[in-house]
Amino acid sequence: MTQLALVIDLNVCVGCHACVTNCKEWNTSGEAGPMVDQNPYGKDPTGTFFNRVQTFEVGEFPNTETVHFPKSCLHCEDPPCVPVCPTGASYKRKEDGIVLVDYEKCIGCKYCSWACPYGARELDEQQKVMKKCTLCVDRIYDTTMTEEERRPACVRACPTSARLFGDIHDPHSSVSRAIRYAHGYQLMPEWGTNPANHYLPRRKTKLRIREDELERADNPLKIDSQLPKPGKAEPSLDDVTSW
Amino acid sequence: MHPAFSVVFLTTLIGAGQGLFLALFTVESYAAFGLLPAQSSDFYALGSVIAVILLVLGLFASFFHLGRPERAWRSATQWRTSWLSREVIVLPAFMGMTFLYGVAHWTGFNPVIATLPSGAPINLTAVLGVIGTVLAFALYVCTGMIYACLRFLREWHTPLTVINYTLLGSASGFSLAAALAVTEAPGVMPFLTGWALIITVLGLISRSASLIRNARLKPKSSLQTAIGIKHPKIVQKTMGMMGGAFNTREFFHGQTRTMLRSIKWLFLLTTFVIPLGLLSVGLSAGTGSPGGLLALAFVVQYFGLLAERWFFFAQANHPQNLYYQSVA
Amino acid sequence: MTQKPAQPVQEVKNTTCYMCACRCGIRVHLRDGEIRFIDGNPDHPLNQGVICAKGSSGIMKQYSPARLTKPLRRKAGAARGAGEFEAISWEDAFSVLAERLGKIRATDPKKFALFTGRDQMQALTGMFARQFGTPNYAAHGGFCSVNMAAGMIYTIGGSFWEFGGPDLDRAKLFVMIGTAEDHHSNPLKMALGKFKRDGGRFVSINPVRSGYSAIADEWVPIRPGTDGAFLLAVIHEIIAKGLYDREFLVQYSNAGELVNTDEASDEFGMFLRTEVPEEETCYDPQDKLWWDRKTNKPVLTHAEGADPFLLGEFKMRDGTPVKPSFQLLHERVKDYTPEWAEGVTGVPAATIRRLAYEMGVTARDQRIELPIAWTDTWGKEHDTVIGNPVAFHAMRGLAAHSNGFHSIRALAILMSLLGTIDRPGGFRHKVPFPRPIPPCARPPNHPNAVQPNKPLDGMALGWPADPDDLFVDADGGPVRIDKGFSWEYPLSVHGLMHNVITNAWRGDPYKIDTLLIFMANMAWNSTMNAVEVRKMLNDKDENGDYKIPFIVVADAFQSEMTAFADLILPDTTYLERHDVMSLLDRPISEFDGPVDSVRIPVVPPTGECKPFQEVLIELGARLKLPAFVTKEGARKYRDYPDFIINYETEPGSGIGFLAGWRGKGGEKSLRGEPNPNQWEMYAKNNCVFHYELPKSYQYMRNWNQGYLEWSQRNRITRYAEPILINIYSEVLMRFRQAAQGKGFSRKPPAHLAKRVATFFDPLPFYYDTLEAQQTDKHKYPLAAITQRPMAMYHSWDSQNAWLRQIHAHNLLYVNTQTARVAGIEDNDWIWVESQWGKVKCMAKHSEAVEPGTVWTWNAIGKAAGAWGLAPDANESQQGFLLNHLISEELPACERGNNLRVSNSDPVTGQAAWYDVRVRIYKVGAGETAVTSPQFEPLKPYPGQPERKSVWNYFAGGKK
Ligand SMILES: Nc1nc2c(c(=O)[nH]1)N[C@H]1C(S)=C(S)[C@@H](COP(=O)(O)OP(=O)(O)OC[C@H]3O[C@@H](n4cnc5c(=O)[nH]c(N)nc54)[C@H](O)[C@@H]3O)O[C@H]1N2
Ligand SMILES: Nc1nc2c(c(=O)[nH]1)N[C@H]1C(S)=C(S)[C@@H](COP(=O)(O)OP(=O)(O)OC[C@H]3O[C@@H](n4cnc5c(=O)[nH]c(N)nc54)[C@H](O)[C@@H]3O)O[C@H]1N2
Ligand code: SF4
Ligand code: SF4
Ligand code: SF4
Ligand code: SF4
Ligand code: SF4
Ligand SMILES: [Mo]
């Protein structure tokens, strides 16, 4: 069984928001759109987005880590948002595990959003239906697109390649490998939602300089500290005393 | 959570409606066994009308909660998994049953449907009443479970939620019935007042239990589990949008802690303490007690329940809020 | 018969993004002519398919309510800044302009000043100004990062910024200094992602940990303005431990060249020279000396078999004491110990030392050798290219300080000591760099260069090599309105745009008539001292005439600056016009060769918008500027695309704005006759021309004979001589010499002699920033800086419905401890006060900022009503501009005299944005929770699109 998902590498995410606005751009004119913006030019502009990037500070100065944290629907394998939906508008696809909302059925009761611990769903205040990340279903199966394009918009946009996309049930997929090798983890494991999206933690490259590495045979100072020998004719003690 | 007034009204109105129905049918059952004097059908009919009105108002309020009310019918389809869907089915069924119950009493069309082995006849109203009672309880369970089933809303995820919905709804229904009885069925007024007192006390006990429980809850989720970083000190700096979003509007009550605390005391006072006082006065005054007193008890209690429901929602701390803490 | 609705028409058009100066290739997907999606072009060498937050929000720029759609004239009687305009026709606009400019040109061309902001068409604007005959032309460079350009180009012949960068493909250690975003936005992110994934070690030196620094393996919080001290201490350690690349220094820098150390001599501080047979067209004769270790005698540098002493002191036969420049560097850094630097920078000495070792040891022990044969300029063949995989990148954190030039020189020298210049894993140039040191273009050096009805004799901007190249009059006074190339800022190679308005207002050095501002928001975020500058723009003399008589603004949006215009020329957006990113300006070259690119319109212009390029070509023709008209005086170019195809720098030169598909049939590259189908060929090729150099020309280009000759053949450079790294800068010494009254060149006016002598030190040195020197640091204990947000470009994007949801307003980030001590809680309203002004804003606690620093996002705050925003929008009510706290002028160094100089680096005139010192305190009880200062809200101009209250964007084929 396939479970498509995003794997987000916090080790390289610089918090640029490319994934945020590219998602908006693709989806507002796509199958999941339009995505409303209210007060777009006034006080407290607000709108529907499927993906947000947040920033956290971990630790205390000077040992601070700044963590950029993108979050969209995690396409949980046991999605609590689905069974609670009274209309069946929220559903998880058998064939690829994508959790979707059928806008035609949704009554905008918001109940599914209450059932999502991750705050991944947003009610579109204009259309009054629940919206969320679709994993770009209208891209990934679109055969009029090239292979390269048949990936989620946010994944293609991401300049640092912090977003990987693939089938986490296929042990050979790049996402599965990344999860295994880089210790990918799930958010809020305590709720047993089993999110399909995974996160890869920060990894640190350290350099250890050993004492002996500083001293080396080819140290140029061995050359440069040899100063010129004085000319033989220059004055010396020999000129003034014979002991 | 952000208490939506539609839901506050929905749950309190139908709760009272259900309670009222239960009160009516309790009287009828007692009367059937001769434990209480028989009452005029007007009492039942009027009571049912009021119950139906409450239910309709509740239903009406609920539509304000829906983004797409025109499609509300769709919400009946997922009864297998969704308590909300179940509620959507049970509510109209119960409404219908209450309506029929009222009609039967009002028209006096109350044929004997069956006879018990003991020879006691089972009337139509009794059958409707029993079904209605089952539905009323089912509806309490559905409503309660809508909230109780959400496991990460830990303030709600407890049997106490269902018990509270049942007891508080019933209490307000019985209070209302008692007030009604002052003019329509003075004979059962003390009986109903007594039950209203008892249920209100039970409600106080169970609601206090949930308050105590919730006060002791330790959140299971933390920023650490939310973003998967194990460090004692994590602070959110930006939540990714500055003008707010659905996530900042739907899941925050937006009030100060003091406000929250005052509402708590307010609802304890108005749902329980004052009504208990008024009901006791009413009870001790016996049949001669002024109708206004019990009506006041109901009004105060209903008002209290609005506050109680507001608090119920506001107190629930959704784990998603961990992700939405800082504007910058 | 009812017809089925037609399928929406889908199209994809290639062009180049301009949501920032990075210039990624994009594909614009259209549905029924509306923009459905903009994605990165996978076939573009720069961004290879990725795109950023801004680029993805291009649709919202297209439909912004801030768009100007009609030429506008200030209403008679309305005050400047009030923003009251009436629409006029283009014909009216052109005739007003042509008449006015024609008169100026016929009398005194310098009374016309053209200054441009973050545009990418300096090739055209610069040419227009020169043809007009005014010296008063510059672009944003002076207030941007000229220190970075000058400091490095005067040292290694190339720079970061748009001229070169770190080779993260092969680097093992990457040290990023003072960079938040930079121009190479996407490529740098791509490279960082890959670098980290490959296990490279990333160190960030920055007072703030955000953005890129967030993913650094180590964050080194440094006090602003002190990097020079840090870098000099690192150099100290590198030399002390012998971690420098000796061979590299000997061969490729002037480290071994002998400097005259006879203080009594007129030649003191200059290199010793010997007679060499003069070569034809020689720029920098290789006539300097080494002291050979083998023969213990002075020899010509690079003499066969010679090996110079790098340390020591010697006496020439005539008794002149000399030292190799490396010895002088060694002496210079002697006292710059890590312990000393700790006190200045706040970075522990042990950390400085460790980082120095990491750099040195990585450079030495992880050496890369690529099997690429090449020949150096001395004729020596090399079988391999060697690399020391330590890469640096630095930007405005170094540049935007008044001591930036020397800090950057220190950095370039450190990079050179490590042997990382144009080598794999280190720093790599991008064509047209490296250039000779300094590059050959000189500014005019005499007021006579400005003549009525004549083009300027020389280019308005250039690279002075000695005091005789300064653009000053007989008294040593400036000729340019911004005082560029004067004794105040001799190496102001990008001009000083940030002083134009103040100088013009004051009439110092003279009054001007018309100021044309293109794509710069000089009444707001690109001006210092915005409150006062706004007054100057509206100030009148005793006759009731404006002190700056006529202001023209060419802009696409209702910016704060447009409000002060007498005439507004509405420009198109990047999706509506032709543009070229030319090798004559700052192209998007890659390490492996030159790249230039174009924009081709994907949607028609909105309203009456007209590309500014067309405006210049029209004006050029009306004013009969030689380059724009035929001999007979008739208009030469139909339009801008026609100009691009047919213009050649000189008749028959074969050099035009575009380097790709030249020659009649597009068969030639770089040089060749005009090709009538050039645009089509760019269009077919992703709007980009990428010329890949042979591998052997891709490295060591300062000294790579093959490359230099290739570059000479293609007229990218005139000279093919080695470009030796200037560890010791004789150019700087020449200015110092003049200031000391020595030598034959011009001498500075007395009041500037000390300043020049101090700051024109041939070796880098550390000094406290000029503003800090003049500030009571007890009163103003904090340094205040800004950073680029990745999702916003300067002031442009507040009109963008999507981007402004991410940054609706800005807060001042304060270290939590610092804030607590000041009694400031998270989100409290505070005053931030410098000695020049104060602003009210909100504070945000942060653990990711050095305790002596406060910072905020740049240019998020807006004036009420500007940018098509509602007057109560967050940008103007909660957002704030730090610029109000920064002065554009400082008392000149010598106290006592009344002189004021620009708040800039004394060498380059680089605006010292990040020098300002502040204090912070909670607002008083009862003070409103609204930003201060506030300005009268602007009303929309005629022709601005309606401001939507709900946007439900769905492109074409409506749902
Ligand atoms: N405090 C502080 N101030 C700073 C800086 C800082 O770091 N801190 N940074 C400085 C630096 S490095 C720079 S480069 C400057 C940048 O400052 P500016 O060059 O002034 O940049 P902006 O204000 O963003 O944009 C200038 C104008 O370009 C217009 N524009 C956008 N697109 C188009 C177009 O297609 N055509 C035309 N004609 N106009 C267009 C915008 O509407 C805007 O009015 O700011 C400087 N100011
Ligand atoms: N998204 C986006 N990209 C842009 C721009 C934009 O507005 N938005 N602007 C473009 C322009 S015009 C320019 S010039 C470039 C500028 O590119 P950058 O130079 O990267 O931009 P700044 O935001 O000025 O970054 C300065 C960095 O230096 C740090 N800093 C400040 N003072 C010091 C110091 O004394 N020492 C050290 N070590 N660090 C210090 C600041 O914390 C900040 O991180 O970006 C370009 N790219
Ligand atoms: S993240 Fe939330 S919305 Fe998405 S599947 Fe999981 S529970 Fe449902
Ligand atoms: S909002 Fe829509 S999707 Fe969510 S539970 Fe209600 S009907 Fe289902
Ligand atoms: S997968 Fe598609 S819908 Fe989901 S966040 Fe990425 S771009 Fe948005
Ligand atoms: S696009 Fe990539 S790097 Fe940028 S915020 Fe999103 S995940 Fe992070
Ligand atoms: S980095 Fe600049 S040019 Fe590239 S996509 Fe982003 S805004 Fe456009
Ligand atoms: Mo800049």
Side-chain angles (χ1 to χ4, degrees), chain C residues 118 140-141 143-145 161 183 395-396 788 793-794:
Chain C
R118 271 254 42 112
H140 64 278
F143 61 51
C144 182
S145 316
W161 203 0
H183 298 287
M395 253 306 268
R396 297 185 61 256
R788 302 281 183 274
Y793 200 65
H794 296 287

Side-chain angles (χ1 to χ4, degrees), chain B residues 52 55 90-103 128 135:
Chain B
V52 169
L55 293 168
V90 176
L91 175 58
F94 172 68
M95 257 161 97
M97 211 45 67
T98 312
F99 177 72
L100 292 180
Y101 180 75
V103 169
L128 292 176
L135 288 173

Side-chain angles (χ1 to χ4, degrees), chain A residues 129-147:
Chain A
V129 293
M130 195 52 73
K131 300 197 171 176
K132 59 179 270 305
C133 161
T134 65
L135 264 188
C136 287
V137 269
D138 55 348
R139 294 188 65 88
I140 57 179
Y141 296 111
D142 184 344
T143 47
T144 65
M145 291 187 180
T146 63
E147 193 68 27

Side-chain angles (χ1 to χ4, degrees), chain C residues 118 144 180-181 206 225 227 396 401 787-788 792 794 914:
Chain C
R118 271 254 42 112
C144 182
E181 174 73 348
N206 199 313
D227 302 74
R396 297 185 61 256
H401 291 287
Q787 293 204 93
R788 302 281 183 274
M792 279 271 173
H794 296 287
Y914 296 164

Side-chain angles (χ1 to χ4, degrees), chain C residues 109-157:
Chain C
K110 66 176 184 300
K111 293 207 173 288
F112 169 60
L114 167 57
F115 284 86
T116 77
R118 271 254 42 112
D119 63 289
Q120 302 169 344
M121 43 183 287
Q122 292 169 42
L124 180 65
T125 51
M127 178 190 132
F128 179 90
R130 183 178 178 183
Q131 290 281 316
F132 186 92
T134 181
N136 292 324
Y137 163 79
H140 64 278
F143 61 51
C144 182
S145 316
V146 59
N147 265 344
M148 191 48 75
M152 298 223 358
I153 290 171
Y154 275 93
T155 307
I156 61 168

